Amino acid sequence: MRFAIALLTIICIASVIGTVLQQHEPAVNYTNQFGPFWAEVFLTLKLNAVYSAWWFLLILAFLVVSTSLCIARNTPKIIADLKNYKENIREKSLQAFHHKAQGHLAGTPEAEAQRIGQMLAGGGWKVRLQERDAGADHKGWMVAAKAGGANRIGYIAAHSAIVLVCLGGLLDGDLIVRAQTWLGGKSVYTGGGLVSEVKPEHRLPENNPTFRGNLVVAEGSQSSTAILSQSDGVLLQELPFAIELKKFIVEYYSTGMPKLFASDIVIHDKATGEKEEARVEVNHPASFKGIQIYQSSFDDGGSRVKLRAVPMAAASKPFEIEGQIGGSSEITNGNEKLTLEYTGLRVINVENMTREGSGVDVRKVDLRQSLNDRLGAADKSVNKQELRNVGPSISYKLRDASGQAREFNNYMLPVDTGDGTPVFLLGVRDTPAEQFRYLRVPADEDGSMQGFMGMREALLDPAQRERAVHNYASKAVEPGRPELTEQLAISAARALNLFAGAEAIKGEQKGGLQAISDFMEEAVPEGEREKAAGVLLRILNGTLLELNTLSRQKQGKPPLAENEANGRWLNQAILALSDINFYPAPVAMELTDFTQVQASVFQVARAPGKTVVYLGCLLLILGVFAMLYVRERRLWVWLAPQGAGLAGTQAIMALSFNRKTLDADRELAQLRQKLLASP
């Protein structure tokens, strides 16, 4: 019993771990979340796949064997004891019971035995009468009764329940699937590619007695192959039917979290060709040929997107490209070939736009502090004060020839972050463990990037920079002072060239505000830097304003009017022009159009152990209830004639319990009053 309890405790702890720790995730996910040390511990102990770990299955098997042996050893004794009334107990032994009573009855022993037996039987007791020799040619009667035998049955039911639950777990676990990989010639698939190209040794047959896997079906398509995740790869499970997704329906809460998943499907029977329509919702599965179809989640089913390449490097050129989510395209940046991988399309992005915690870090241009944690996903923070749908976003990767890739997440529409200047958010991160860093590109009056990109193009053009410097110097100095105009033009040209990255500082052509900062450290004494920096930044702002005017003239637009909104736009444009020098890709892909295709993720399961587990749970409830709330009691009443020629019957009663309770004395008194009281 102690061994079984110890095993059961370990199983409970392992089940808690399996519930808290996400199962069957890629190894890199555990490394990113817990670090390399703990990730290695989890993988070594198979905590990433608890329910299919060899030690978990072994413990289940040991618990089944241990509990089964316990049942086999004790059940015959219990059944034999239930059949035994123990009517052969000696009358002298009744005197040794703790709960006993005596009385004198008026009738003969036989009559009193019949009376007492009938009264006990009417109270739910099982009774057996025995006539035996009472000495001196007198006959006595032993009344043996018992009640609460369900207490012993509860012991068998509770222990049998443990066996059934464990057997159900073994049946619905990976034991049979693993047996097919160990003994059936099947092997785990660790590669990639199309499902149709996977070889038969990685596929499980349709008549597999138990499995649980995932099936992804895009709208307008059908699939009949489920994927079973294993700790070191996947197995493919062939289904006796195909699932066609007619329409996927999803509704959202105001927080952006989905509140309804529903799939209208058609089930195609492979054997008969028959079709059956069904609707699958969360907690409302469909069933076909003993296989349950659950609504698990949803995914992109291969949406088609149109992108425009926005140049981030001087040598890059704009172009347009079309692709499909899940696919890839080859693009060329000079002599460098890059692979553009379309990884995700989100049509709805509901984010928390509260001002609390907003960051002002030039290197990490944030939307809000809360969005810095998880931008592009539904915000789950408690402090939700201004939730807003900021529109669609596209996720993609740019992979170089060596296989190294960065991940990007760009929003289709400009977003007002709270300061009144809508900006395009262009996110990037080097690894999945990092948070996205966002470049904020201000939107012009037409809601596009063209105003900013025209200003950047002018900044990279030496002729345009020269004209902007000339215009600024001539406007900033009063007429008739050519020496000041020339001196201001030199300072303005130096500042603008540094900002454009046309001059090297400390041996590097950095550009942006970082170049201005490095120049101040190199050319200006420390005590004068603050004052000189203020002057130089005023000159730079004025020159950039002239540069923007020239770029707008080239686009056929009038100069920016002097107002607060345009001032904020220009400030944001200057920050973006500075930050663009640190953008780690030659182009940023702008989402211009898309055709969404939804996909539904189903969990399909054949679980014969479910019925076994349900039966085990029922037995466990009944068994525990019987053991806790049903008391086993045995009662003996010895009836013998009075001695020395006296009339009547001498009665001795004894009562026993399987466990002591506070009601024992009261029940004895009630039985004495009922059975032994003289009429």
Side-chain angles (χ1 to χ4, degrees):
M1 179 61 69
R2 288 192 295 268
F3 180 65
I5 292 175
L7 292 181
L8 191 58
T9 302
I10 296 175
I11 290 175
C12 292
I13 295 174
S15 300
V16 171
I17 295 174
T19 302
V20 175
L21 186 67
Q22 290 189 352
Q23 302 290 283
H24 298 292
E25 291 288 313
V28 65
N29 289 8
Y30 298 106
T31 302
N32 294 336
Q33 185 174 359
F34 301 103
F37 173 78
W38 287 110
E40 185 176 356
V41 172
F42 294 161
L43 296 177
T44 301
L45 297 178
K46 301 293 184 182
L47 297 182
N48 63 316
V50 169
Y51 304 113
S52 60
W54 64 267
W55 54 266
F56 185 82
L57 298 176
L58 184 63
I59 291 174
L60 277 180
F62 264 113
L63 184 59
V64 169
V65 173
S66 174
T67 310
S68 298
L69 290 175
C70 184
I71 295 172
R73 183 179 63 183
N74 292 296
T75 298
K77 300 178 182 178
I78 293 174
I79 294 177
D81 192 59
L82 287 175
K83 295 179 179 179
N84 187 4
Y85 285 79
K86 299 182 180 181
E87 67 274 18
N88 293 321
I89 188 171
R90 297 173 60 186
E91 59 272 18
K92 292 183 179 179
S93 300
L94 301 181
Q95 300 290 345
F97 279 77
H98 177 73
H99 295 92
K100 60 183 183 293
Q102 295 184 5
H104 299 280
L105 302 175
T108 64
E110 181 178 1
E112 295 296 341
Q114 293 294 334
R115 180 184 66 83
I116 292 175
Q118 291 176 2
M119 294 181 68
L120 289 174
W125 293 72
K126 293 183 178 180
V127 182
R128 177 170 293 180
L129 303 180
Q130 182 189 62
E131 184 182 14
R132 66 170 73 164
D133 187 10
D137 296 329
H138 295 293
K139 297 293 184 181
W141 287 81
M142 176 65 73
V143 180
K146 61 180 181 178
N151 179 272
R152 296 293 190 94
I153 301 298
Y155 172 90
I156 299 175
H159 287 73
S160 299
I162 296 175
V163 174
L164 291 176
V165 171
C166 292
L167 285 176
L170 289 172
L171 287 175
D172 290 349
D174 284 353
L175 183 61
I176 295 179
V177 173
R178 282 180 169 269
Q180 296 184 64
T181 61
W182 295 334
L183 308 173
K186 302 298 182 181
S187 60
V188 175
Y189 182 67
T190 57
L194 299 176
V195 172
S196 59
E197 298 175 353
V198 179
K199 296 181 179 180
E201 57 264 29
H202 309 303
R203 297 175 180 269
L204 301 177
E206 293 180 1
N207 59 357
N208 188 13
T210 175
F211 61 83
R212 187 178 297 272
N214 291 326
L215 186 71
V216 181
V217 187
E219 286 181 332
S221 65
Q222 57 180 272
S223 177
S224 61
T225 305
I227 298 176
L228 278 61
S229 297
Q230 302 294 302
S231 58
D232 51 351
V234 298
L235 288 168
L236 301 186
Q237 173 64 56
E238 298 294 340
L239 301 175
F241 54 83
I243 298 178
E244 177 188 355
L245 179 61
K246 294 176 60 179
K247 184 176 180 58
F248 176 76
I249 304 167
V250 58
E251 297 178 2
Y252 295 89
Y253 291 105
S254 60
T255 60
M257 293 294 293
K259 68 176 180 179
L260 171 66
F261 296 82
S263 298
D264 292 330
I265 64 173
V266 178
I267 302 175
H268 299 263
D269 191 339
K270 291 182 179 179
T272 63
E274 295 181 358
K275 300 179 181 179
E276 180 179 319
E277 294 189 358
R279 185 181 179 92
V280 183
E281 298 182 14
V282 176
N283 298 326
H284 296 283
S287 180
F288 190 80
K289 288 191 171 182
I291 298 177
Q292 299 294 318
I293 305 171
Y294 300 91
Q295 182 69 60
S296 177
S297 63
F298 64 94
D299 205 343
D300 193 283
S303 299
R304 292 176 291 278
V305 294
K306 293 182 180 180
L307 306 178
R308 180 189 297 119
V310 179
M312 293 287 111
S316 301
K317 301 296 181 182
F319 61 89
E320 293 187 352
I321 192 171
E322 296 184 13
Q324 187 176 29
I325 300 301
S328 63
S329 301
E330 299 293 332
I331 61 175
T332 303
N333 178 43
N335 295 327
E336 183 183 11
K337 292 185 177 180
L338 300 173
T339 301
L340 173 61
E341 301 175 359
Y342 310 94
T343 57
L345 171 70
R346 288 184 61 91
V347 177
I348 295 178
N349 289 278
V350 178
E351 307 295 354
N352 183 7
M353 306 300 294
T354 52
R355 296 188 59 87
E356 289 83 352
S358 60
V360 187
D361 183 354
V362 176
R363 297 280 69 76
K364 292 183 180 180
V365 185
D366 299 333
L367 176 62
R368 283 290 177 261
Q369 185 64 37
S370 60
L371 302 187
N372 194 35
D373 294 334
R374 192 182 294 272
L375 189 57
D379 178 50
K380 303 176 182 63
S381 61
V382 177
N383 216 5
K384 296 180 177 69
Q385 298 182 8
E386 186 185 349
L387 297 172
R388 190 194 317 163
N389 179 19
V390 296
S393 65
I394 179 72
S395 298
Y396 62 91
K397 290 182 180 179
L398 282 178
R399 192 177 302 275
D400 59 24
S402 65
Q404 299 296 318
R406 285 189 176 91
E407 187 176 1
F408 299 84
N409 185 61
N410 299 341
Y411 283 76
M412 182 180 185
L413 304 176
V415 178
D416 186 355
T417 60
D419 57 1
T421 304
V423 294
F424 288 92
L425 296 167
L426 308 178
V428 59
R429 64 182 179 185
D430 297 326
T431 65
E434 298 179 358
Q435 299 171 349
F436 279 107
R437 305 183 304 276
Y438 284 87
L439 173 67
R440 296 188 293 188
V441 176
D444 57 20
E445 62 269 28
D446 298 326
S448 71
M449 299 187 195
Q450 296 305 313
F452 171 81
M453 298 311 298
M455 187 176 178
R456 173 169 169 75
E457 183 179 350
L459 179 64
L460 298 178
D461 186 352
Q464 293 287 77
R465 293 201 302 269
E466 185 176 350
R467 288 184 58 191
V469 167
H470 177 269
N471 292 345
Y472 170 72
S474 61
K475 293 179 181 179
V477 179
E478 297 179 0
R481 306 188 65 178
E483 70 284 357
L484 292 180
T485 302
E486 182 179 358
Q487 187 177 12
L488 181 60
I490 294 174
S491 298
R494 186 67 183 275
L496 194 58
N497 289 336
L498 287 171
F499 190 79
E503 291 189 15
I505 296 295
K506 297 181 180 180
E508 299 181 14
Q509 288 182 310
K510 296 181 179 180
L513 297 175
Q514 184 64 47
I516 301 294
S517 176
D518 291 345
F519 170 76
M520 299 300 298
E521 292 181 0
E522 185 179 82
V524 180
E526 184 176 357
E528 302 177 7
R529 288 176 187 170
E530 184 176 355
K531 180 179 179 181
V535 174
L536 191 61
L537 288 177
R538 284 196 298 272
I539 294 174
L540 178 63
N541 287 343
T543 311
L544 289 173
L545 178 60
E546 294 296 331
L547 191 69
N548 179 65
T549 300
L550 293 175
S551 70
R552 292 179 63 86
Q553 288 177 354
K554 188 176 180 179
Q555 297 174 5
K557 297 179 179 180
L560 286 177
E562 295 186 7
N563 55 48
E564 183 179 356
N566 289 336
R568 290 195 301 267
W569 185 94
L570 186 61
N571 287 336
Q572 185 58 57
I574 294 174
L575 289 176
L577 288 171
S578 176
D579 290 342
I580 206 172
N581 295 285
F582 299 92
Y583 197 79
V587 292
M589 309 308 296
E590 180 186 6
L591 180 64
T592 58
D593 195 10
F594 62 88
T595 301
Q596 186 184 24
V597 179
Q598 294 274 30
S600 190
V601 181
F602 300 104
Q603 184 181 87
V604 290
R606 177 181 281 153
K610 179 177 65 175
T611 304
V612 178
V613 171
Y614 287 162
L615 177 60
C617 291
L618 178 61
L619 287 179
L620 185 61
I621 294 172
L622 295 177
V624 171
F625 181 86
M627 289 192 296
L628 293 180
Y629 297 102
V630 178
R631 292 180 301 154
E632 185 184 12
R633 294 156 293 162
R634 287 184 179 270
L635 177 68
W636 295 270
V637 181
W638 169 245
L639 301 168
Q642 292 277 21
L646 298 177
T649 299
Q650 175 71 31
I652 301 176
M653 183 176 67
L655 184 63
S656 70
F657 302 86
N658 63 329
R659 62 177 181 269
K660 294 182 179 180
T661 64
L662 298 176
D663 295 334
D665 292 334
R666 184 175 61 182
E667 185 171 3
L668 177 64
Q670 291 175 348
L671 289 172
R672 179 179 181 178
Q673 178 66 28
K674 181 179 180 180
L675 302 178
L676 303 186
S678 299

